[in-house]
Amino acid sequence: MKDILTSLPPYLKMENDELWLTEDDRENLKISYRIKEIIFSEQSPFQHVMILDSYDFGRMLVLDGVVQTTSIDGHIYNEMISHVPLQFHPSPKKVLIIGGGDCGAAREVAKYKHVEEIHMVEIDEKVVQSCKEHLPEVSGNLSDPRVRFIYTDGVAFVKDHANTYDVIIIDSSDPVGAAKELFSYSFYENIHRALKEDGMMVCQSQSPIFHKDILKQTYTNIRQLFPHASIYTATVPTYPGGLWSFTIGAKIPLSLPDTSSLPADTKYINDAILTQCFQLPQFMKTILS
Ligand code: SAM
Protein backbone atom coordinates (compact mmCIF):
# COMPACT_ATOMS: atom_id res chain seq x y z
CA MET A 1 0.00 0.00 0.00
CA LYS A 2 2.81 2.43 0.92
CA ASP A 3 4.52 1.89 -2.48
CA ILE A 4 1.27 2.48 -4.29
CA LEU A 5 0.60 5.69 -2.33
CA THR A 6 3.89 7.26 -3.39
CA SER A 7 2.92 7.14 -7.06
CA LEU A 8 -0.78 7.90 -7.14
CA PRO A 9 -2.46 8.44 -10.53
CA PRO A 10 -4.04 11.92 -10.92
CA TYR A 11 -7.56 10.67 -10.12
CA LEU A 12 -6.53 9.39 -6.65
CA LYS A 13 -5.65 12.02 -4.07
CA MET A 14 -4.80 12.14 -0.37
CA GLU A 15 -6.71 15.01 1.26
CA ASN A 16 -6.46 15.56 5.04
CA ASP A 17 -5.33 11.96 5.48
CA GLU A 18 -8.27 10.67 3.47
CA LEU A 19 -7.90 8.92 0.12
CA TRP A 20 -10.36 10.03 -2.58
CA LEU A 21 -11.02 8.74 -6.10
CA THR A 22 -12.36 11.46 -8.36
CA GLU A 23 -13.90 10.50 -11.68
CA ASP A 24 -13.20 13.56 -13.79
CA ASP A 25 -13.93 12.32 -17.29
CA ARG A 26 -16.68 14.96 -17.69
CA GLU A 27 -15.82 18.63 -18.03
CA ASN A 28 -18.34 20.02 -15.55
CA LEU A 29 -19.08 17.11 -13.24
CA LYS A 30 -16.72 15.29 -10.92
CA ILE A 31 -17.81 12.36 -8.78
CA SER A 32 -15.67 11.44 -5.76
CA TYR A 33 -15.57 8.32 -3.64
CA ARG A 34 -13.74 8.00 -0.33
CA ILE A 35 -11.43 5.00 -0.54
CA LYS A 36 -10.42 2.73 2.34
CA GLU A 37 -7.70 0.82 0.54
CA ILE A 38 -6.01 0.24 -2.80
CA ILE A 39 -6.33 -3.51 -3.26
CA PHE A 40 -4.75 -3.81 -6.72
CA SER A 41 -3.16 -1.33 -9.11
CA GLU A 42 -1.39 -2.17 -12.36
CA GLN A 43 -0.95 -0.67 -15.79
CA SER A 44 -1.96 -3.19 -18.48
CA PRO A 45 -1.12 -2.69 -22.18
CA PHE A 46 -4.62 -1.18 -22.53
CA GLN A 47 -5.47 0.74 -19.35
CA HIS A 48 -4.73 1.37 -15.69
CA VAL A 49 -6.53 -1.39 -13.78
CA MET A 50 -7.41 -0.84 -10.13
CA ILE A 51 -9.48 -2.63 -7.53
CA LEU A 52 -10.30 -0.18 -4.74
CA ASP A 53 -12.15 -0.72 -1.50
CA SER A 54 -14.50 2.22 -1.01
CA TYR A 55 -16.51 3.28 2.03
CA ASP A 56 -19.95 3.44 0.43
CA PHE A 57 -19.78 1.02 -2.50
CA GLY A 58 -17.40 -1.66 -1.22
CA ARG A 59 -14.83 -3.03 -3.63
CA MET A 60 -14.91 -1.54 -7.11
CA LEU A 61 -13.23 -2.07 -10.48
CA VAL A 62 -11.75 1.19 -11.78
CA LEU A 63 -10.30 1.46 -15.29
CA ASP A 64 -8.30 4.60 -16.16
CA GLY A 65 -9.93 6.29 -13.17
CA VAL A 66 -13.52 5.43 -14.16
CA VAL A 67 -15.67 3.20 -11.92
CA GLN A 68 -16.89 0.19 -13.93
CA THR A 69 -18.68 -1.92 -11.35
CA THR A 70 -18.96 -2.23 -7.58
CA SER A 71 -19.85 -4.81 -4.95
CA ILE A 72 -22.92 -2.83 -3.95
CA ASP A 73 -24.60 -2.10 -7.29
CA GLY A 74 -22.79 -4.29 -9.88
CA HIS A 75 -25.58 -6.87 -9.77
CA ILE A 76 -28.14 -4.36 -11.09
CA TYR A 77 -26.23 -3.75 -14.32
CA ASN A 78 -25.05 -7.35 -14.76
CA GLU A 79 -28.46 -8.88 -14.20
CA MET A 80 -30.13 -6.41 -16.54
CA ILE A 81 -27.64 -6.82 -19.40
CA SER A 82 -27.83 -10.64 -19.15
CA HIS A 83 -31.25 -11.85 -18.09
CA VAL A 84 -33.30 -9.58 -20.35
CA PRO A 85 -31.94 -10.97 -23.66
CA LEU A 86 -31.73 -14.51 -22.27
CA GLN A 87 -35.37 -14.35 -21.21
CA PHE A 88 -36.62 -12.89 -24.50
CA HIS A 89 -34.63 -15.23 -26.76
CA PRO A 90 -36.63 -18.43 -27.45
CA SER A 91 -33.70 -20.84 -26.93
CA PRO A 92 -30.29 -19.33 -26.13
CA LYS A 93 -27.58 -21.98 -26.37
CA LYS A 94 -24.51 -20.17 -27.59
CA VAL A 95 -23.80 -16.78 -26.01
CA LEU A 96 -21.03 -14.30 -26.79
CA ILE A 97 -20.04 -11.58 -24.33
CA ILE A 98 -17.82 -8.79 -25.65
CA GLY A 99 -15.94 -6.95 -22.90
CA GLY A 100 -17.42 -7.84 -19.51
CA GLY A 101 -14.01 -8.36 -17.90
CA ASP A 102 -15.43 -8.15 -14.37
CA CYS A 103 -17.12 -11.53 -15.19
CA GLY A 104 -20.44 -10.35 -13.70
CA ALA A 105 -22.40 -10.82 -16.95
CA ALA A 106 -20.86 -14.26 -17.61
CA ARG A 107 -21.73 -15.25 -14.05
CA GLU A 108 -25.40 -14.37 -14.68
CA VAL A 109 -25.49 -16.14 -18.09
CA ALA A 110 -23.99 -19.27 -16.49
CA LYS A 111 -27.09 -19.50 -14.26
CA TYR A 112 -29.00 -20.86 -17.28
CA LYS A 113 -28.50 -24.63 -17.48
CA HIS A 114 -29.69 -24.77 -21.10
CA VAL A 115 -26.92 -22.40 -22.27
CA GLU A 116 -24.24 -24.68 -23.70
CA GLU A 117 -21.37 -22.30 -24.52
CA ILE A 118 -20.38 -18.87 -23.24
CA HIS A 119 -17.58 -17.13 -25.14
CA MET A 120 -16.13 -14.12 -23.36
CA VAL A 121 -14.07 -11.91 -25.63
CA GLU A 122 -12.24 -9.41 -23.45
CA ILE A 123 -9.31 -7.33 -24.71
CA ASP A 124 -7.61 -7.08 -21.32
CA GLU A 125 -6.70 -10.27 -19.42
CA LYS A 126 -5.57 -8.17 -16.45
CA VAL A 127 -9.19 -7.07 -15.81
CA VAL A 128 -10.40 -10.67 -15.65
CA GLN A 129 -7.50 -11.83 -13.44
CA SER A 130 -7.84 -8.96 -10.98
CA CYS A 131 -11.64 -9.26 -10.70
CA LYS A 132 -11.52 -13.02 -10.21
CA GLU A 133 -8.96 -12.59 -7.47
CA HIS A 134 -10.03 -9.39 -5.75
CA LEU A 135 -13.68 -8.74 -6.68
CA PRO A 136 -15.53 -12.02 -5.96
CA GLU A 137 -18.72 -10.11 -5.04
CA VAL A 138 -19.07 -9.34 -8.76
CA SER A 139 -17.10 -12.09 -10.53
CA GLY A 140 -18.23 -14.90 -8.22
CA ASN A 141 -14.77 -16.41 -8.89
CA LEU A 142 -16.34 -17.60 -12.14
CA SER A 143 -15.02 -21.05 -13.08
CA ASP A 144 -17.87 -22.60 -15.09
CA PRO A 145 -16.49 -25.01 -17.73
CA ARG A 146 -18.93 -23.61 -20.33
CA VAL A 147 -17.16 -20.22 -20.17
CA ARG A 148 -14.29 -19.85 -22.64
CA PHE A 149 -12.13 -16.75 -22.17
CA ILE A 150 -10.75 -15.33 -25.41
CA TYR A 151 -8.36 -12.41 -24.94
CA THR A 152 -8.60 -10.33 -28.07
CA ASP A 153 -10.28 -7.26 -29.55
CA GLY A 154 -14.03 -7.85 -29.84
CA VAL A 155 -14.16 -5.71 -32.98
CA ALA A 156 -11.82 -8.04 -34.89
CA PHE A 157 -13.32 -11.19 -33.34
CA VAL A 158 -16.88 -10.67 -34.61
CA LYS A 159 -15.68 -10.06 -38.18
CA ASP A 160 -14.68 -13.74 -38.41
CA HIS A 161 -17.78 -15.36 -36.89
CA ALA A 162 -20.81 -15.37 -39.18
CA ASN A 163 -24.11 -17.01 -38.15
CA THR A 164 -22.65 -18.38 -34.90
CA TYR A 165 -24.39 -16.99 -31.79
CA ASP A 166 -27.93 -16.95 -30.37
CA VAL A 167 -27.28 -13.98 -28.08
CA ILE A 168 -24.49 -11.39 -28.10
CA ILE A 169 -24.02 -9.17 -25.04
CA ILE A 170 -21.84 -6.10 -25.57
CA ASP A 171 -20.68 -5.24 -22.06
CA SER A 172 -18.28 -2.47 -22.95
CA SER A 173 -16.72 0.39 -21.07
CA ASP A 174 -17.44 3.98 -22.15
CA PRO A 175 -16.78 4.77 -25.84
CA VAL A 176 -13.15 5.84 -25.48
CA GLY A 177 -9.90 4.03 -26.35
CA ALA A 178 -10.33 0.35 -27.29
CA ALA A 179 -14.07 0.53 -26.58
CA LYS A 180 -14.77 3.37 -29.05
CA GLU A 181 -15.27 1.04 -32.01
CA LEU A 182 -17.74 -1.04 -29.97
CA PHE A 183 -20.26 1.77 -30.56
CA SER A 184 -19.75 2.05 -34.35
CA TYR A 185 -22.21 1.15 -37.11
CA SER A 186 -19.71 -1.21 -38.82
CA PHE A 187 -19.26 -3.12 -35.56
CA TYR A 188 -23.05 -3.59 -35.21
CA GLU A 189 -23.13 -4.77 -38.85
CA ASN A 190 -20.68 -7.52 -37.93
CA ILE A 191 -22.67 -8.32 -34.78
CA HIS A 192 -25.76 -8.73 -36.97
CA ARG A 193 -23.82 -11.14 -39.21
CA ALA A 194 -22.44 -13.09 -36.22
CA LEU A 195 -25.96 -13.80 -34.95
CA LYS A 196 -28.06 -16.76 -36.06
CA GLU A 197 -31.34 -16.10 -37.88
CA ASP A 198 -33.33 -15.78 -34.63
CA GLY A 199 -30.45 -14.04 -32.84
CA MET A 200 -30.55 -11.10 -30.48
CA MET A 201 -27.99 -8.57 -29.27
CA VAL A 202 -27.89 -6.16 -26.38
CA CYS A 203 -25.48 -3.35 -25.58
CA GLN A 204 -25.19 -0.81 -22.84
CA SER A 205 -26.11 2.48 -24.50
CA GLN A 206 -25.02 4.89 -21.76
CA SER A 207 -26.84 7.55 -19.76
CA PRO A 208 -30.08 9.03 -21.13
CA ILE A 209 -29.28 12.13 -19.07
CA PHE A 210 -25.63 12.78 -19.96
CA HIS A 211 -25.05 10.83 -23.19
CA LYS A 212 -28.19 11.58 -25.20
CA ASP A 213 -26.26 11.63 -28.49
CA ILE A 214 -24.69 8.21 -27.92
CA LEU A 215 -28.03 6.73 -26.90
CA LYS A 216 -29.79 8.15 -29.95
CA GLN A 217 -26.99 7.13 -32.35
CA THR A 218 -26.84 3.60 -30.91
CA TYR A 219 -30.60 3.16 -31.21
CA THR A 220 -30.60 4.57 -34.75
CA ASN A 221 -27.77 2.23 -35.83
CA ILE A 222 -29.41 -0.83 -34.32
CA ARG A 223 -32.83 0.02 -35.71
CA GLN A 224 -31.33 0.33 -39.19
CA LEU A 225 -29.82 -3.15 -38.97
CA PHE A 226 -32.39 -5.14 -37.00
CA PRO A 227 -36.13 -5.43 -37.70
CA HIS A 228 -36.79 -5.15 -33.96
CA ALA A 229 -35.06 -2.66 -31.67
CA SER A 230 -36.02 -1.75 -28.11
CA ILE A 231 -34.58 0.20 -25.23
CA TYR A 232 -34.87 -0.61 -21.56
CA THR A 233 -33.47 1.05 -18.45
CA ALA A 234 -32.26 0.38 -14.92
CA THR A 235 -30.94 2.59 -12.18
CA VAL A 236 -27.26 2.00 -11.37
CA PRO A 237 -26.15 4.43 -8.63
CA THR A 238 -22.44 4.56 -9.59
CA TYR A 239 -23.05 5.46 -13.24
CA PRO A 240 -23.33 9.21 -13.91
CA GLY A 241 -26.95 10.25 -13.71
CA GLY A 242 -28.01 6.92 -12.17
CA LEU A 243 -30.47 6.04 -14.93
CA TRP A 244 -28.79 3.75 -17.49
CA SER A 245 -29.94 2.50 -20.89
CA PHE A 246 -29.61 -0.81 -22.74
CA THR A 247 -30.49 -1.33 -26.40
CA ILE A 248 -31.67 -4.65 -27.83
CA GLY A 249 -31.53 -5.53 -31.53
CA ALA A 250 -33.42 -8.68 -32.50
CA LYS A 251 -33.98 -10.59 -35.71
CA ILE A 252 -37.34 -11.88 -34.45
CA PRO A 253 -40.07 -10.01 -32.53
CA LEU A 254 -39.73 -9.80 -28.76
CA SER A 255 -42.69 -11.60 -27.27
CA LEU A 256 -43.51 -11.73 -23.59
CA PRO A 257 -41.25 -14.41 -22.08
CA ASP A 258 -42.24 -17.31 -19.89
CA THR A 259 -40.39 -16.12 -16.81
CA SER A 260 -40.32 -19.53 -15.13
CA SER A 261 -36.67 -19.93 -16.16
CA LEU A 262 -35.64 -16.71 -14.35
CA PRO A 263 -33.07 -17.88 -11.79
CA ALA A 264 -34.29 -17.74 -8.20
CA ASP A 265 -31.15 -16.07 -6.83
CA THR A 266 -31.34 -12.70 -8.60
CA LYS A 267 -31.07 -9.57 -6.48
CA TYR A 268 -32.60 -6.98 -8.81
CA ILE A 269 -34.53 -8.47 -11.71
CA ASN A 270 -37.87 -10.21 -11.20
CA ASP A 271 -40.93 -10.96 -13.35
CA ALA A 272 -42.36 -7.47 -12.98
CA ILE A 273 -39.09 -5.68 -13.85
CA LEU A 274 -38.60 -7.92 -16.87
CA THR A 275 -41.88 -6.86 -18.38
CA GLN A 276 -41.82 -3.23 -17.24
CA CYS A 277 -38.20 -2.21 -17.92
CA PHE A 278 -39.12 -1.28 -21.51
CA GLN A 279 -41.48 1.47 -20.28
CA LEU A 280 -39.58 4.67 -21.04
CA PRO A 281 -39.98 8.09 -19.43
CA GLN A 282 -41.35 10.77 -21.74
CA PHE A 283 -38.02 12.64 -22.12
CA MET A 284 -36.41 9.45 -23.46
CA LYS A 285 -39.24 8.95 -25.96
CA THR A 286 -38.60 12.50 -27.12
CA ILE A 287 -34.84 11.89 -27.52
CA LEU A 288 -35.52 8.77 -29.57
CA SER A 289 -38.30 10.16 -31.75
N1 SAM B 1 -20.25 -2.51 -16.70
C1 SAM B 1 -19.23 -1.64 -17.10
C2 SAM B 1 -19.66 -0.27 -17.51
O1 SAM B 1 -20.69 -0.11 -18.17
O2 SAM B 1 -18.96 0.66 -17.16
C3 SAM B 1 -18.30 -2.22 -18.10
C4 SAM B 1 -17.95 -3.64 -17.86
S1 SAM B 1 -16.49 -4.28 -18.39
C5 SAM B 1 -15.37 -3.88 -17.14
C6 SAM B 1 -15.91 -3.42 -19.82
C7 SAM B 1 -14.75 -4.16 -20.45
O3 SAM B 1 -14.69 -3.91 -21.84
C8 SAM B 1 -13.38 -3.76 -19.90
O4 SAM B 1 -12.86 -4.81 -19.12
C9 SAM B 1 -12.53 -3.50 -21.16
O5 SAM B 1 -11.22 -4.02 -21.06
C10 SAM B 1 -13.37 -4.21 -22.22
N2 SAM B 1 -13.12 -3.73 -23.60
C11 SAM B 1 -12.96 -2.44 -24.01
N3 SAM B 1 -12.76 -2.41 -25.34
C12 SAM B 1 -12.81 -3.70 -25.78
C13 SAM B 1 -12.70 -4.31 -27.06
N4 SAM B 1 -12.47 -3.57 -28.17
N5 SAM B 1 -12.81 -5.67 -27.14
C14 SAM B 1 -13.03 -6.42 -26.04
N6 SAM B 1 -13.16 -5.89 -24.80
C15 SAM B 1 -13.06 -4.55 -24.67
Side-chain angles (χ1 to χ4, degrees):
M1 176 85 170
K2 260 195 182 143
D3 288 352
I4 298 176
L5 282 178
T6 54
S7 56
L8 289 179
Y11 30 81
L12 266 181
K13 282 203 172 72
M14 279 302 265
E15 286 168 22
N16 306 324
D17 256 356
E18 294 175 354
L19 186 58
W20 286 83
L21 167 75
T22 300
E23 280 188 325
D24 60 359
D25 50 326
R26 290 188 64 77
E27 216 177 315
N28 302 312
L29 175 73
K30 296 185 196 300
I31 301 173
S32 294
Y33 301 86
R34 189 174 165 204
I35 302 302
K36 280 187 197 166
E37 195 184 346
I38 300 170
I39 306 292
F40 176 91
S41 172
E42 250 182 73
Q43 179 67 42
S44 81
F46 304 98
Q47 54 212 341
H48 184 206
V49 181
M50 289 195 298
I51 307 284
L52 304 176
D53 193 7
S54 69
Y55 277 87
D56 282 357
F57 285 96
R59 289 197 178 192
M60 43 168 65
L61 169 68
V62 179
L63 298 178
D64 284 338
V66 178
V67 175
Q68 304 288 313
T69 189
T70 80
S71 301
I72 298 297
D73 67 356
H75 64 276
I76 304 176
Y77 173 92
N78 285 316
E79 288 183 11
M80 290 304 280
I81 203 166
S82 309
H83 293 289
V84 176
L86 287 178
Q87 285 291 318
F88 277 93
H89 190 281
S91 176
K93 291 198 163 49
K94 199 161 172 172
V95 177
L96 170 65
I97 300 168
I98 295 180
D102 54 68
C103 302
R107 177 191 188 183
E108 295 304 321
V109 174
K111 290 179 180 172
Y112 289 82
K113 299 284 172 272
H114 56 270
V115 170
E116 292 165 1
E117 287 178 74
I118 305 165
H119 291 174
M120 230 196 83
V121 175
E122 162 63 59
I123 204 165
D124 195 343
E125 189 169 2
K126 191 69 74 189
V127 178
V128 173
Q129 285 169 348
S130 58
C131 290
K132 275 188 169 183
E133 197 177 335
H134 303 292
L135 197 56
E137 300 87 346
V138 176
S139 70
N141 294 312
L142 184 71
S143 64
D144 190 297
R146 294 170 297 164
V147 182
R148 192 172 133 214
F149 291 94
I150 303 157
Y151 295 111
T152 190
D153 186 343
V155 176
F157 181 87
V158 286
K159 283 184 190 158
D160 302 331
H161 289 79
N163 196 22
T164 308
Y165 294 102
D166 298 305
V167 171
I168 300 181
I169 296 172
I170 304 158
D171 181 8
S172 70
S173 16
D174 298 340
V176 286
K180 196 162 182 224
E181 275 294 299
L182 300 180
F183 288 79
S184 68
Y185 183 81
S186 60
F187 173 67
Y188 296 130
E189 270 183 320
N190 290 322
I191 291 285
H192 184 275
R193 245 176 14 96
L195 284 166
K196 292 182 188 164
E197 60 188 17
D198 58 355
M200 189 178 289
M201 61 141 289
V202 66
C203 63
Q204 65 96 346
S205 36
Q206 303 278 106
S207 160
I209 312 278
F210 291 122
H211 314 120
K212 293 186 185 71
D213 294 354
I214 298 171
L215 169 61
K216 181 153 191 172
Q217 190 57 59
T218 304
Y219 180 64
T220 306
N221 287 343
I222 289 172
R223 214 176 40 170
Q224 268 179 323
L225 287 161
F226 288 85
H228 309 281
S230 288
I231 291 190
Y232 60 95
T233 62
T235 300
V236 187
T238 49
Y239 293 166
L243 187 65
W244 211 250
S245 74
F246 303 83
T247 303
I248 281 194
K251 292 189 179 182
I252 56 167
L254 299 184
S255 51
L256 220 56
D258 161 17
T259 54
S260 59
S261 68
L262 200 58
D265 63 348
T266 58
K267 290 202 277 181
Y268 183 82
I269 199 164
N270 55 27
D271 295 18
I273 287 184
L274 194 58
T275 48
Q276 286 161 22
C277 61
F278 292 92
Q279 301 298 331
L280 300 182
Q282 197 53 38
F283 80 93
M284 281 184 72
K285 290 188 179 182
T286 307
I287 296 169
L288 300 168
S289 62

